Amino acid sequence: MSAYEIPLELAEQFGRGNGVVFVGAGLSKGAGLPDWQGLIDGLVEELPGCPPGADHRDIAAYYELEYGRNRLVQRIRDRLDTLHLQPTRVHHALAALPVQLLVTTNFDDLLEQTYRLERKPCTTVTRAVDAGFWSSDRTQIVKIHGDLAIPESIVITSGDYEGIATDRPTLIRLLGATLQTRTVLFLGYSLADPDLRILLRQLKQESGDYARNLYSVQFDAPPLAVKDLERRGVRVVNLSLAGRTPGETLLTWLTELRERALRYGTPAPEPTPAGPSGGASDHRLADEVSGLLKAMGYAVTGLRRSPGVVDFQASKRSEGSEILRSFRCVEGSVGSGHVDGALALRSAEPDSEVWIVAYRSGVVTAQARARAEADRKTRIMSIAQFYRTMLNIDAYVNRLLEEYEEEKIDGRWVDLACEVPQYDRLRSAPMSTDTFDDVEEFLDVWIDTPGRNHMSILGDFGTGKTWLCRHYAALLARRYLEDCEHNRVPILISLRDRSRGDSVNIQELITDTLVNDYGVHLPGGYKTFQFLNRHDSLVLILDGFDEMQARLDDLATVRNFDELAKVVEPHANCKAILTCRSSYFRTDLEEREVLAGEGLQRINLRERPNFEILHLLPFGEEQILASLGKLVGDQAERYYEDMRQVYDLVNLAQRPILLAMIAATLPRLVGHARVNSSTLYETYTDEWMRKNLVEQRSIMDSREVKSLMQQLAWSMFLRETASVHYSELPRTLLDFLSSGHSTFVHNYEHDVRTQSFLQRDNAGFYSFAHKSFMEFFIAQRIFASICASDSGELAEAQTSHETDQFIKDLLLREPEHIGTMVEWMNTGEEVVLRVNAAGILAKTGDTRITSDVIALLDRDKAVRHLYLTAVVFRVLEVRWEAAARLASEPNGRRLPHLLTLTSDQLTTVATRFCTEALNPRDAVARWLSLRLLEQVMDVARDEIRAMLRKAAEQEDIGENRALIDAMGSTLEREA
């Protein structure tokens, strides 16, 4: 059969929208990926003794049995990596067909890449939960055998194939019902392809006797093979290669199929005078162009449609004059005839400009470009270039890069590694974790994969979240300037600088950042941003979700997350990245917990399969050395050896922010017998203040700077805020300065604004450059009062876990004050003083002191309640009020509010406290955890029994061992 011969029924059914294409490995092979045989051969090479001629499903099963599921999936991912590959011309021809449903057995993302490059909306459907996103207004790409981006979805072993109907019944039934009224075309399946035979069997089971026919494209297939397929109900389109490659032949055939199908297609409805409406599939380009113009306030008139071409005029009054442009939107290639036709549009308005817009600049012929260049008022551009020109995006991107380059991050950047949890089908618990050496390479793949819309980047303080945002935004910005057609515009927003009060408004956040911070010309405001976001043009990067407010309650946190999540719109390939400290997110089974009769809502990702998380990893030795090389040059190895000689310094260096501080202060640290976080922060801040004095950049001496920072941090802590407005600084300084210096308050205020550890946002709020500095200065202030035997500040408010750690470090350096703390713990009048002293002492690691703390908690109900509240707050990640209710003991030592929890919630409590009961860093928290677990043994016997066995081997505190023995005996009796 010639490449120009098309079965009549195939053309008719595809033209009427009744066509479905099944895509096999042959199409991906043309882009450089292995076919099925090549993929399986790679596995066989690692399986000595594999039976010859074994079925590909059995070979994969043998490999899984020998090496495990994770290695099997990783081998497949390595072989099918598309990071450096591009879709072929055949892929683009396939995307041009008038079909709304593609089904593929391929694991790769080349189809999704194609639709993204063609700017055609599509939805990837892999799991049953994805079926909820099935939509008739966009192409569905059903990956029936799984997706590399979702490792648990991959179907490759014999067991996987056997379970597909039971694991994905909703998806299989939906496909079966759809295919009963469609004509199916198989592309990329060879006669020997095992997937083709399996698919035919599955489709027969689901759809019964087909109302429509099945077609398969083959190349020079032998007659007997053709008869075999026809016996199975498949009509073979047997194309003759005639000296051409299969790719070239299939490209010609698909192009002809599209042309024939369009002839049989249902005529597009007559256009309305209002402008493009998006109804016809071949007028999407005009809809995009006119949509942006309307969002920017232009009037769109004079609409004229013809096959593949839409003409209209756009006008707008601006600064007293009228802007008038004539537009021609061309769906396919742009030839000189298109230019001549566009020039004719100007006859009625000779002064107007003519803009010709195509999907990509590569479809414009040289003749057309030359013809347009001959006319000064005629321009040809791609849709991406149109966006770029209309909004002057270059000005914003260049401003972003200028600010980035001023920070000199490039010279100190080291690639960050990350872990990405892979969840089970309910997203209730991670099945496995994938590790990536370069988080930015992972994000590149994530951006290029449709259906993956929101990424939460989690990490503890100092792990590099903010630098990652700035570095990656700069990387995306440079790519955009080089090639705007295949790259998105990064929109970088610091949330810490934005939100005041209890809530955030996404529209105000976006427009304020773009217009006020970067001076972007944004006519239409948020509507313009929304339009670009819906059309795959942006990557929104939101940095510092956890630092928006100091202590929001849980509901406010969820409301803010949901407000920010509005940028991920349904049925659009939006991309949003958000950074946060780890404790804000979890993917537990419960979306709403009920504690003590009141609702506690958590951020829950289970119902949002397009929302994902990754965790930044601490630096390893290689990264530490690489970072030191950036910081101290050829002295890196010597610095690293010096660090190894100082207690715990290498461990502290695993966080980029602390490593930079270590490198800056290492010569002074080497002399310390013991280095901890407090030593490091103190040395670094002292060095910074000394440098300011030497360079005469401060009118305050080091003592004044330190004291003022401590007072500001303490004031923010008591007010439960992370910032102070500039208008409050003079009052704070007057309270701080002695009467003899009060006349110089304005000089001091200027010094604070420009030289202290504070930074200012655009609204005039000052905050510490990093949250850890605030916690350190609070600890310094409290420790100074401890040294002065003044318990007032320690009795004023319950301190945080991080602040306690800093105070503990300072206390161990001057252990003569431990006796004062013990006295306050036992005899202090205020319960807050007693619990704060107990919390700090419990972290010292001293066995005798630990026993004293446990004895206090055993006899002092008020202290026990506050201490347990803090542990529940940290372990269960609930708001403070809910933790306090759960920790209350109104009658005796029982926790009655545990009885208000559901069985699933009790199981979660037991699981988390079993982990805490083995926490080697806090023996008192272990004691409280064991006491709580005594009351829930009936819901998690096996898990508690396993925990007790481990605890018995490692516990060194007598009180804890006694609890472990008693709980073990109870379980034995009940068994």
Side-chain angles (χ1 to χ4, degrees), residues 264-290:
Y264 291 103
T266 303
E270 288 297 318
T272 63
S277 63
S281 62
D282 61 346
H283 293 153
R284 288 197 184 102
L285 177 63
D287 294 344
E288 282 197 47
V289 173
S290 62

Side-chain angles (χ1 to χ4, degrees), residues 786 794 811 815-828 833-834 836-838 840-842 844 846 848-853 856 859:
I786 293 172
L794 203 58
L811 190 63
E816 63 269 21
H817 301 294
I818 289 178
T820 300
M821 294 288 287
V822 172
E823 180 182 351
W824 289 348
M825 176 184 74
N826 289 313
T827 63
L833 172 61
R834 300 198 300 275
N836 279 341
I840 294 165
L841 290 170
T844 61
D846 185 286
R848 181 183 58 81
I849 291 176
T850 299
S851 295
D852 289 344
V853 175
L856 170 72
R859 68 175 183 270

